Amino acid sequence: MLVIEDAEAIGAAVSSALRESGYEVQHRLDGRQLEADLGRFRPDLVVLDVMLPGRDGFQLLEVIRRSSGAGVVMLTARDGVPDRLRGLSGGADDYVGKPFVLAELVARVSAVLRRLGRTPSTVQVGDLVVDADAGVVMRADQPIELTATELRLLVYLAAQRGRVVSKTQILTAVWGYEDYDPNLVEVHVSAVRRKIEEHGTRLVHTVRGLGYVLRAEE
């Protein structure tokens, strides 16, 4: 995935949030090497700011559409209807206005990739199957009923399967902010763990001092 954003802090935050969701990310401050990146890196999706030095986002969108099948999510402070229509009519797949919540941007990126068939919506960990698109969770062929928040949490853990994620990372990805009571994470993790472990062994593991990881024991 390629992030083109000239504000270093925003670009770094977006790139970090996408990496935490399991994506490989390259960040550029402008589009000077876009053609080379499209040929060498071959991104599945480009998060593209409009207000860039040199060629702006609309010009870069034309380059992407001429030479790549990558999805494009435009990211800009220009949130007026004319700019959105220009971006979407030019071939952008989605449009996110600043300021934005990182979790929403990640969700929109994931949705575009799913529409393009670039990422599977179903993840399996041991005998647990999580279908994010259908909102279905099964374990040992038994359906598991989760609340909307519990489902978002499990989908995130499934996307990060095998990786330890901190409470802060979970708060950002599932609730959209970091400065919130971390006990909220503990409560929801406990609820998810209880429900999925009614049908089998432990899959959600606590890593003391670090966070949680979803994995099947060997």
Side-chain angles (χ1 to χ4, degrees):
M1 192 172 302
L2 183 62
V3 174
I4 305 178
E5 165 62 69
D6 65 322
E8 291 192 42
I10 294 175
V14 169
S15 298
S16 177
L18 290 169
R19 289 190 185 104
E20 288 173 4
S21 294
Y23 299 111
E24 180 183 353
V25 182
Q26 295 287 330
H27 175 212
R28 303 287 183 260
L29 297 175
D30 56 50
R32 285 180 296 179
Q33 63 185 72
L34 176 61
E35 288 85 350
D37 282 329
L38 292 176
R40 180 178 63 250
F41 183 51
R42 298 182 182 276
D44 289 320
L45 185 139
V46 181
V47 177
L48 179 61
D49 187 31
V50 168
M51 302 292 286
L52 291 167
R55 294 181 294 179
D56 66 20
F58 296 121
Q59 293 172 302
L60 297 178
L61 177 60
E62 294 178 2
V63 172
I64 295 168
R65 284 291 159 258
R66 285 198 306 266
S67 56
S68 171
V72 177
V73 174
M74 301 200 77
L75 184 64
T76 177
R78 291 180 175 179
D79 57 357
V81 171
D83 283 319
R84 281 184 289 173
L85 291 177
R86 182 180 176 188
L88 294 171
S89 64
D93 296 281
D94 204 348
Y95 208 104
V96 179
K98 301 176 183 176
F100 56 87
V101 175
L102 285 171
E104 179 186 0
L105 175 61
V106 172
R108 286 176 177 267
V109 165
S110 298
V112 169
L113 288 171
R114 287 197 297 271
R115 289 200 301 270
L116 295 174
R118 305 290 173 82
T119 185
S121 66
T122 301
V123 173
Q124 183 165 353
V125 180
D127 58 353
L128 176 72
V129 177
V130 182
D131 188 331
D133 283 349
V136 172
V137 177
M138 305 280 291
R139 186 164 194 200
D141 297 324
Q142 297 295 315
I144 299 174
E145 297 295 328
L146 300 177
T147 67
T149 301
E150 290 168 354
L151 178 61
R152 289 199 306 273
L153 171 59
L154 184 56
V155 167
Y156 176 69
L157 291 175
Q160 302 298 316
R161 58 197 179 280
R163 301 185 186 95
V164 178
V165 290
S166 68
K167 292 179 182 179
T168 299
Q169 289 173 313
I170 293 172
L171 282 168
T172 301
V174 178
W175 283 272
Y177 31 71
E178 299 178 1
D179 53 343
Y180 207 83
D181 185 356
N183 290 330
L184 184 69
V185 175
E186 294 179 12
V187 169
H188 283 81
V189 168
S190 295
V192 169
R193 177 183 280 155
R194 183 180 66 254
K195 290 180 179 181
I196 66 175
E197 289 176 7
E198 289 178 358
H199 304 283
T201 57
R202 174 151 294 191
L203 291 177
V204 180
H205 304 271
T206 301
V207 181
R208 190 174 300 276
L210 295 177
Y212 303 96
V213 58
L214 180 68
R215 66 167 178 258
E217 296 291 7
E218 298 295 333

PDB file of all heavy atoms in Angstrom, residues 40-68:
ATOM      1  N   ARG A  40       7.347  -0.619  -9.505  1.00  0.00           N
ATOM      2  CA  ARG A  40       8.220  -1.433  -8.660  1.00  0.00           C
ATOM      3  C   ARG A  40       7.477  -2.015  -7.465  1.00  0.00           C
ATOM      4  O   ARG A  40       7.549  -3.201  -7.185  1.00  0.00           O
ATOM      5  CB  ARG A  40       9.394  -0.579  -8.173  1.00  0.00           C
ATOM      6  CG  ARG A  40      10.384  -1.327  -7.276  1.00  0.00           C
ATOM      7  CD  ARG A  40      11.539  -0.428  -6.879  1.00  0.00           C
ATOM      8  NE  ARG A  40      11.113   0.717  -6.098  1.00  0.00           N
ATOM      9  CZ  ARG A  40      11.115   1.974  -6.543  1.00  0.00           C
ATOM     10  NH1 ARG A  40      11.534   2.244  -7.774  1.00  0.00           N
ATOM     11  NH2 ARG A  40      10.707   2.980  -5.771  1.00  0.00           N
ATOM     12  N   PHE A  41       6.744  -1.164  -6.757  1.00  0.00           N
ATOM     13  CA  PHE A  41       6.080  -1.577  -5.531  1.00  0.00           C
ATOM     14  C   PHE A  41       4.723  -2.230  -5.810  1.00  0.00           C
ATOM     15  O   PHE A  41       4.253  -3.077  -5.058  1.00  0.00           O
ATOM     16  CB  PHE A  41       5.917  -0.348  -4.628  1.00  0.00           C
ATOM     17  CG  PHE A  41       5.316  -0.634  -3.290  1.00  0.00           C
ATOM     18  CD1 PHE A  41       5.818  -1.633  -2.476  1.00  0.00           C
ATOM     19  CD2 PHE A  41       4.248   0.120  -2.828  1.00  0.00           C
ATOM     20  CE1 PHE A  41       5.260  -1.885  -1.233  1.00  0.00           C
ATOM     21  CE2 PHE A  41       3.685  -0.127  -1.587  1.00  0.00           C
ATOM     22  CZ  PHE A  41       4.197  -1.129  -0.791  1.00  0.00           C
ATOM     23  N   ARG A  42       4.076  -1.824  -6.897  1.00  0.00           N
ATOM     24  CA  ARG A  42       2.772  -2.365  -7.312  1.00  0.00           C
ATOM     25  C   ARG A  42       1.771  -2.393  -6.156  1.00  0.00           C
ATOM     26  O   ARG A  42       1.290  -3.454  -5.750  1.00  0.00           O
ATOM     27  CB  ARG A  42       2.934  -3.775  -7.897  1.00  0.00           C
ATOM     28  CG  ARG A  42       3.798  -3.831  -9.135  1.00  0.00           C
ATOM     29  CD  ARG A  42       3.871  -5.238  -9.693  1.00  0.00           C
ATOM     30  NE  ARG A  42       4.729  -5.297 -10.854  1.00  0.00           N
ATOM     31  CZ  ARG A  42       4.349  -5.014 -12.099  1.00  0.00           C
ATOM     32  NH1 ARG A  42       3.100  -4.660 -12.315  1.00  0.00           N
ATOM     33  NH2 ARG A  42       5.199  -5.089 -13.110  1.00  0.00           N
ATOM     34  N   PRO A  43       1.414  -1.234  -5.627  1.00  0.00           N
ATOM     35  CA  PRO A  43       0.496  -1.198  -4.485  1.00  0.00           C
ATOM     36  C   PRO A  43      -0.910  -1.645  -4.881  1.00  0.00           C
ATOM     37  O   PRO A  43      -1.370  -1.391  -6.002  1.00  0.00           O
ATOM     38  CB  PRO A  43       0.501   0.277  -4.074  1.00  0.00           C
ATOM     39  CG  PRO A  43       0.837   1.009  -5.338  1.00  0.00           C
ATOM     40  CD  PRO A  43       1.812   0.127  -6.057  1.00  0.00           C
ATOM     41  N   ASP A  44      -1.598  -2.290  -3.953  1.00  0.00           N
ATOM     42  CA  ASP A  44      -3.003  -2.648  -4.169  1.00  0.00           C
ATOM     43  C   ASP A  44      -3.893  -1.429  -3.988  1.00  0.00           C
ATOM     44  O   ASP A  44      -4.995  -1.380  -4.549  1.00  0.00           O
ATOM     45  CB  ASP A  44      -3.445  -3.739  -3.190  1.00  0.00           C
ATOM     46  CG  ASP A  44      -2.830  -5.082  -3.517  1.00  0.00           C
ATOM     47  OD1 ASP A  44      -2.731  -5.408  -4.713  1.00  0.00           O
ATOM     48  OD2 ASP A  44      -2.448  -5.809  -2.583  1.00  0.00           O
ATOM     49  N   LEU A  45      -3.415  -0.457  -3.201  1.00  0.00           N
ATOM     50  CA  LEU A  45      -4.218   0.736  -2.948  1.00  0.00           C
ATOM     51  C   LEU A  45      -3.299   1.912  -2.643  1.00  0.00           C
ATOM     52  O   LEU A  45      -2.235   1.740  -2.060  1.00  0.00           O
ATOM     53  CB  LEU A  45      -5.176   0.489  -1.771  1.00  0.00           C
ATOM     54  CG  LEU A  45      -6.155   1.607  -1.457  1.00  0.00           C
ATOM     55  CD1 LEU A  45      -7.541   1.041  -1.115  1.00  0.00           C
ATOM     56  CD2 LEU A  45      -5.657   2.471  -0.290  1.00  0.00           C
ATOM     57  N   VAL A  46      -3.750   3.105  -3.054  1.00  0.00           N
ATOM     58  CA  VAL A  46      -3.026   4.345  -2.772  1.00  0.00           C
ATOM     59  C   VAL A  46      -3.924   5.251  -1.941  1.00  0.00           C
ATOM     60  O   VAL A  46      -5.059   5.531  -2.333  1.00  0.00           O
ATOM     61  CB  VAL A  46      -2.619   5.080  -4.066  1.00  0.00           C
ATOM     62  CG1 VAL A  46      -1.845   6.360  -3.735  1.00  0.00           C
ATOM     63  CG2 VAL A  46      -1.781   4.167  -4.968  1.00  0.00           C
ATOM     64  N   VAL A  47      -3.428   5.665  -0.769  1.00  0.00           N
ATOM     65  CA  VAL A  47      -4.078   6.711   0.016  1.00  0.00           C
ATOM     66  C   VAL A  47      -3.456   8.019  -0.458  1.00  0.00           C
ATOM     67  O   VAL A  47      -2.259   8.251  -0.263  1.00  0.00           O
ATOM     68  CB  VAL A  47      -3.871   6.513   1.524  1.00  0.00           C
ATOM     69  CG1 VAL A  47      -4.489   7.664   2.304  1.00  0.00           C
ATOM     70  CG2 VAL A  47      -4.476   5.183   1.975  1.00  0.00           C
ATOM     71  N   LEU A  48      -4.250   8.861  -1.088  1.00  0.00           N
ATOM     72  CA  LEU A  48      -3.712   9.975  -1.867  1.00  0.00           C
ATOM     73  C   LEU A  48      -4.242  11.316  -1.370  1.00  0.00           C
ATOM     74  O   LEU A  48      -5.451  11.583  -1.448  1.00  0.00           O
ATOM     75  CB  LEU A  48      -4.103   9.768  -3.341  1.00  0.00           C
ATOM     76  CG  LEU A  48      -3.672  10.817  -4.352  1.00  0.00           C
ATOM     77  CD1 LEU A  48      -2.151  10.934  -4.412  1.00  0.00           C
ATOM     78  CD2 LEU A  48      -4.242  10.473  -5.730  1.00  0.00           C
ATOM     79  N   ASP A  49      -3.349  12.148  -0.859  1.00  0.00           N
ATOM     80  CA  ASP A  49      -3.728  13.502  -0.467  1.00  0.00           C
ATOM     81  C   ASP A  49      -3.910  14.349  -1.720  1.00  0.00           C
ATOM     82  O   ASP A  49      -3.251  14.119  -2.741  1.00  0.00           O
ATOM     83  CB  ASP A  49      -2.634  14.092   0.429  1.00  0.00           C
ATOM     84  CG  ASP A  49      -3.037  15.430   1.024  1.00  0.00           C
ATOM     85  OD1 ASP A  49      -4.246  15.636   1.261  1.00  0.00           O
ATOM     86  OD2 ASP A  49      -2.150  16.264   1.257  1.00  0.00           O
ATOM     87  N   VAL A  50      -4.800  15.336  -1.645  1.00  0.00           N
ATOM     88  CA  VAL A  50      -5.021  16.216  -2.800  1.00  0.00           C
ATOM     89  C   VAL A  50      -4.033  17.379  -2.793  1.00  0.00           C
ATOM     90  O   VAL A  50      -3.409  17.687  -3.807  1.00  0.00           O
ATOM     91  CB  VAL A  50      -6.472  16.736  -2.824  1.00  0.00           C
ATOM     92  CG1 VAL A  50      -6.611  17.866  -3.845  1.00  0.00           C
ATOM     93  CG2 VAL A  50      -7.429  15.612  -3.168  1.00  0.00           C
ATOM     94  N   MET A  51      -3.858  18.016  -1.652  1.00  0.00           N
ATOM     95  CA  MET A  51      -3.015  19.213  -1.577  1.00  0.00           C
ATOM     96  C   MET A  51      -1.562  18.803  -1.414  1.00  0.00           C
ATOM     97  O   MET A  51      -1.045  18.665  -0.302  1.00  0.00           O
ATOM     98  CB  MET A  51      -3.465  20.083  -0.405  1.00  0.00           C
ATOM     99  CG  MET A  51      -4.914  20.525  -0.486  1.00  0.00           C
ATOM    100  SD  MET A  51      -5.200  21.684  -1.834  1.00  0.00           S
ATOM    101  CE  MET A  51      -4.434  23.147  -1.162  1.00  0.00           C
ATOM    102  N   LEU A  52      -0.882  18.597  -2.525  1.00  0.00           N
ATOM    103  CA  LEU A  52       0.502  18.144  -2.516  1.00  0.00           C
ATOM    104  C   LEU A  52       1.390  19.132  -3.258  1.00  0.00           C
ATOM    105  O   LEU A  52       0.933  19.813  -4.187  1.00  0.00           O
ATOM    106  CB  LEU A  52       0.609  16.778  -3.213  1.00  0.00           C
ATOM    107  CG  LEU A  52      -0.025  15.583  -2.504  1.00  0.00           C
ATOM    108  CD1 LEU A  52      -0.106  14.398  -3.462  1.00  0.00           C
ATOM    109  CD2 LEU A  52       0.765  15.212  -1.266  1.00  0.00           C
ATOM    110  N   PRO A  53       2.667  19.217  -2.888  1.00  0.00           N
ATOM    111  CA  PRO A  53       3.601  20.035  -3.668  1.00  0.00           C
ATOM    112  C   PRO A  53       3.838  19.395  -5.028  1.00  0.00           C
ATOM    113  O   PRO A  53       3.808  18.172  -5.173  1.00  0.00           O
ATOM    114  CB  PRO A  53       4.873  20.018  -2.811  1.00  0.00           C
ATOM    115  CG  PRO A  53       4.780  18.758  -2.011  1.00  0.00           C
ATOM    116  CD  PRO A  53       3.314  18.554  -1.738  1.00  0.00           C
ATOM    117  N   GLY A  54       4.053  20.213  -6.037  1.00  0.00           N
ATOM    118  CA  GLY A  54       4.242  19.668  -7.386  1.00  0.00           C
ATOM    119  C   GLY A  54       2.908  19.245  -7.968  1.00  0.00           C
ATOM    120  O   GLY A  54       1.932  19.999  -7.943  1.00  0.00           O
ATOM    121  N   ARG A  55       2.838  18.032  -8.447  1.00  0.00           N
ATOM    122  CA  ARG A  55       1.579  17.529  -8.985  1.00  0.00           C
ATOM    123  C   ARG A  55       0.586  17.284  -7.852  1.00  0.00           C
ATOM    124  O   ARG A  55       0.924  16.636  -6.858  1.00  0.00           O
ATOM    125  CB  ARG A  55       1.811  16.228  -9.764  1.00  0.00           C
ATOM    126  CG  ARG A  55       2.637  16.406 -11.025  1.00  0.00           C
ATOM    127  CD  ARG A  55       2.821  15.089 -11.764  1.00  0.00           C
ATOM    128  NE  ARG A  55       3.626  14.137 -11.019  1.00  0.00           N
ATOM    129  CZ  ARG A  55       3.907  12.900 -11.446  1.00  0.00           C
ATOM    130  NH1 ARG A  55       3.427  12.473 -12.596  1.00  0.00           N
ATOM    131  NH2 ARG A  55       4.650  12.091 -10.716  1.00  0.00           N
ATOM    132  N   ASP A  56      -0.631  17.797  -8.003  1.00  0.00           N
ATOM    133  CA  ASP A  56      -1.597  17.596  -6.924  1.00  0.00           C
ATOM    134  C   ASP A  56      -2.249  16.217  -7.048  1.00  0.00           C
ATOM    135  O   ASP A  56      -1.974  15.446  -7.968  1.00  0.00           O
ATOM    136  CB  ASP A  56      -2.644  18.706  -6.902  1.00  0.00           C
ATOM    137  CG  ASP A  56      -3.563  18.723  -8.118  1.00  0.00           C
ATOM    138  OD1 ASP A  56      -3.683  17.689  -8.825  1.00  0.00           O
ATOM    139  OD2 ASP A  56      -4.184  19.768  -8.376  1.00  0.00           O
ATOM    140  N   GLY A  57      -3.113  15.917  -6.085  1.00  0.00           N
ATOM    141  CA  GLY A  57      -3.711  14.596  -6.039  1.00  0.00           C
ATOM    142  C   GLY A  57      -4.549  14.254  -7.256  1.00  0.00           C
ATOM    143  O   GLY A  57      -4.593  13.091  -7.683  1.00  0.00           O
ATOM    144  N   PHE A  58      -5.222  15.256  -7.842  1.00  0.00           N
ATOM    145  CA  PHE A  58      -6.037  14.983  -9.021  1.00  0.00           C
ATOM    146  C   PHE A  58      -5.164  14.597 -10.219  1.00  0.00           C
ATOM    147  O   PHE A  58      -5.515  13.708 -10.999  1.00  0.00           O
ATOM    148  CB  PHE A  58      -6.902  16.196  -9.363  1.00  0.00           C
ATOM    149  CG  PHE A  58      -7.914  16.536  -8.301  1.00  0.00           C
ATOM    150  CD1 PHE A  58      -7.907  17.781  -7.695  1.00  0.00           C
ATOM    151  CD2 PHE A  58      -8.857  15.607  -7.896  1.00  0.00           C
ATOM    152  CE1 PHE A  58      -8.831  18.101  -6.712  1.00  0.00           C
ATOM    153  CE2 PHE A  58      -9.789  15.912  -6.909  1.00  0.00           C
ATOM    154  CZ  PHE A  58      -9.772  17.160  -6.316  1.00  0.00           C
ATOM    155  N   GLN A  59      -4.017  15.260 -10.358  1.00  0.00           N
ATOM    156  CA  GLN A  59      -3.089  14.902 -11.431  1.00  0.00           C
ATOM    157  C   GLN A  59      -2.511  13.510 -11.205  1.00  0.00           C
ATOM    158  O   GLN A  59      -2.375  12.719 -12.145  1.00  0.00           O
ATOM    159  CB  GLN A  59      -1.962  15.943 -11.515  1.00  0.00           C
ATOM    160  CG  GLN A  59      -2.431  17.309 -11.963  1.00  0.00           C
ATOM    161  CD  GLN A  59      -1.335  18.356 -11.847  1.00  0.00           C
ATOM    162  OE1 GLN A  59      -0.788  18.584 -10.759  1.00  0.00           O
ATOM    163  NE2 GLN A  59      -0.999  18.986 -12.956  1.00  0.00           N
ATOM    164  N   LEU A  60      -2.180  13.196  -9.946  1.00  0.00           N
ATOM    165  CA  LEU A  60      -1.636  11.874  -9.646  1.00  0.00           C
ATOM    166  C   LEU A  60      -2.694  10.793  -9.838  1.00  0.00           C
ATOM    167  O   LEU A  60      -2.373   9.668 -10.238  1.00  0.00           O
ATOM    168  CB  LEU A  60      -1.093  11.841  -8.215  1.00  0.00           C
ATOM    169  CG  LEU A  60       0.083  12.780  -7.926  1.00  0.00           C
ATOM    170  CD1 LEU A  60       0.483  12.674  -6.459  1.00  0.00           C
ATOM    171  CD2 LEU A  60       1.273  12.458  -8.818  1.00  0.00           C
ATOM    172  N   LEU A  61      -3.943  11.120  -9.546  1.00  0.00           N
ATOM    173  CA  LEU A  61      -5.022  10.163  -9.782  1.00  0.00           C
ATOM    174  C   LEU A  61      -5.083   9.771 -11.252  1.00  0.00           C
ATOM    175  O   LEU A  61      -5.301   8.600 -11.585  1.00  0.00           O
ATOM    176  CB  LEU A  61      -6.353  10.772  -9.320  1.00  0.00           C
ATOM    177  CG  LEU A  61      -7.604   9.927  -9.548  1.00  0.00           C
ATOM    178  CD1 LEU A  61      -7.522   8.598  -8.812  1.00  0.00           C
ATOM    179  CD2 LEU A  61      -8.850  10.717  -9.103  1.00  0.00           C
ATOM    180  N   GLU A  62      -4.888  10.741 -12.138  1.00  0.00           N
ATOM    181  CA  GLU A  62      -4.888  10.436 -13.573  1.00  0.00           C
ATOM    182  C   GLU A  62      -3.758   9.468 -13.923  1.00  0.00           C
ATOM    183  O   GLU A  62      -3.947   8.542 -14.724  1.00  0.00           O
ATOM    184  CB  GLU A  62      -4.735  11.727 -14.383  1.00  0.00           C
ATOM    185  CG  GLU A  62      -5.920  12.674 -14.268  1.00  0.00           C
ATOM    186  CD  GLU A  62      -5.698  13.960 -15.044  1.00  0.00           C
ATOM    187  OE1 GLU A  62      -4.629  14.085 -15.704  1.00  0.00           O
ATOM    188  OE2 GLU A  62      -6.567  14.841 -14.983  1.00  0.00           O
ATOM    189  N   VAL A  63      -2.599   9.668 -13.306  1.00  0.00           N
ATOM    190  CA  VAL A  63      -1.465   8.774 -13.558  1.00  0.00           C
ATOM    191  C   VAL A  63      -1.810   7.359 -13.097  1.00  0.00           C
ATOM    192  O   VAL A  63      -1.559   6.372 -13.799  1.00  0.00           O
ATOM    193  CB  VAL A  63      -0.200   9.274 -12.826  1.00  0.00           C
ATOM    194  CG1 VAL A  63       0.927   8.243 -12.936  1.00  0.00           C
ATOM    195  CG2 VAL A  63       0.241  10.624 -13.376  1.00  0.00           C
ATOM    196  N   ILE A  64      -2.376   7.250 -11.908  1.00  0.00           N
ATOM    197  CA  ILE A  64      -2.716   5.928 -11.373  1.00  0.00           C
ATOM    198  C   ILE A  64      -3.723   5.234 -12.276  1.00  0.00           C
ATOM    199  O   ILE A  64      -3.573   4.049 -12.594  1.00  0.00           O
ATOM    200  CB  ILE A  64      -3.278   6.067  -9.938  1.00  0.00           C
ATOM    201  CG1 ILE A  64      -2.203   6.599  -8.999  1.00  0.00           C
ATOM    202  CG2 ILE A  64      -3.810   4.714  -9.434  1.00  0.00           C
ATOM    203  CD1 ILE A  64      -2.744   7.036  -7.631  1.00  0.00           C
ATOM    204  N   ARG A  65      -4.734   5.944 -12.704  1.00  0.00           N
ATOM    205  CA  ARG A  65      -5.768   5.320 -13.522  1.00  0.00           C
ATOM    206  C   ARG A  65      -5.259   4.923 -14.906  1.00  0.00           C
ATOM    207  O   ARG A  65      -5.774   3.995 -15.508  1.00  0.00           O
ATOM    208  CB  ARG A  65      -6.979   6.255 -13.637  1.00  0.00           C
ATOM    209  CG  ARG A  65      -7.816   6.268 -12.370  1.00  0.00           C
ATOM    210  CD  ARG A  65      -8.508   4.904 -12.199  1.00  0.00           C
ATOM    211  NE  ARG A  65      -8.911   4.658 -10.804  1.00  0.00           N
ATOM    212  CZ  ARG A  65      -8.256   3.888  -9.972  1.00  0.00           C
ATOM    213  NH1 ARG A  65      -7.139   3.278 -10.338  1.00  0.00           N
ATOM    214  NH2 ARG A  65      -8.685   3.681  -8.754  1.00  0.00           N
ATOM    215  N   ARG A  66      -4.238   5.617 -15.399  1.00  0.00           N
ATOM    216  CA  ARG A  66      -3.670   5.254 -16.700  1.00  0.00           C
ATOM    217  C   ARG A  66      -2.805   4.003 -16.630  1.00  0.00           C
ATOM    218  O   ARG A  66      -2.694   3.261 -17.607  1.00  0.00           O
ATOM    219  CB  ARG A  66      -2.813   6.407 -17.270  1.00  0.00           C
ATOM    220  CG  ARG A  66      -3.588   7.573 -17.829  1.00  0.00           C
ATOM    221  CD  ARG A  66      -2.705   8.417 -18.737  1.00  0.00           C
ATOM    222  NE  ARG A  66      -1.469   8.854 -18.079  1.00  0.00           N
ATOM    223  CZ  ARG A  66      -1.335  10.022 -17.459  1.00  0.00           C
ATOM    224  NH1 ARG A  66      -2.356  10.847 -17.390  1.00  0.00           N
ATOM    225  NH2 ARG A  66      -0.180  10.354 -16.905  1.00  0.00           N
ATOM    226  N   SER A  67      -2.167   3.772 -15.475  1.00  0.00           N
ATOM    227  CA  SER A  67      -1.132   2.743 -15.447  1.00  0.00           C
ATOM    228  C   SER A  67      -1.292   1.686 -14.369  1.00  0.00           C
ATOM    229  O   SER A  67      -0.428   0.817 -14.241  1.00  0.00           O
ATOM    230  CB  SER A  67       0.235   3.414 -15.278  1.00  0.00           C
ATOM    231  OG  SER A  67       0.247   4.235 -14.118  1.00  0.00           O
ATOM    232  N   SER A  68      -2.374   1.732 -13.601  1.00  0.00           N
ATOM    233  CA  SER A  68      -2.495   0.786 -12.499  1.00  0.00           C
ATOM    234  C   SER A  68      -3.960   0.500 -12.194  1.00  0.00           C
ATOM    235  O   SER A  68      -4.833   1.334 -12.435  1.00  0.00           O
ATOM    236  CB  SER A  68      -1.809   1.366 -11.243  1.00  0.00           C
ATOM    237  OG  SER A  68      -2.074   0.579 -10.102  1.00  0.00           O
TER     238      SER A  68
END
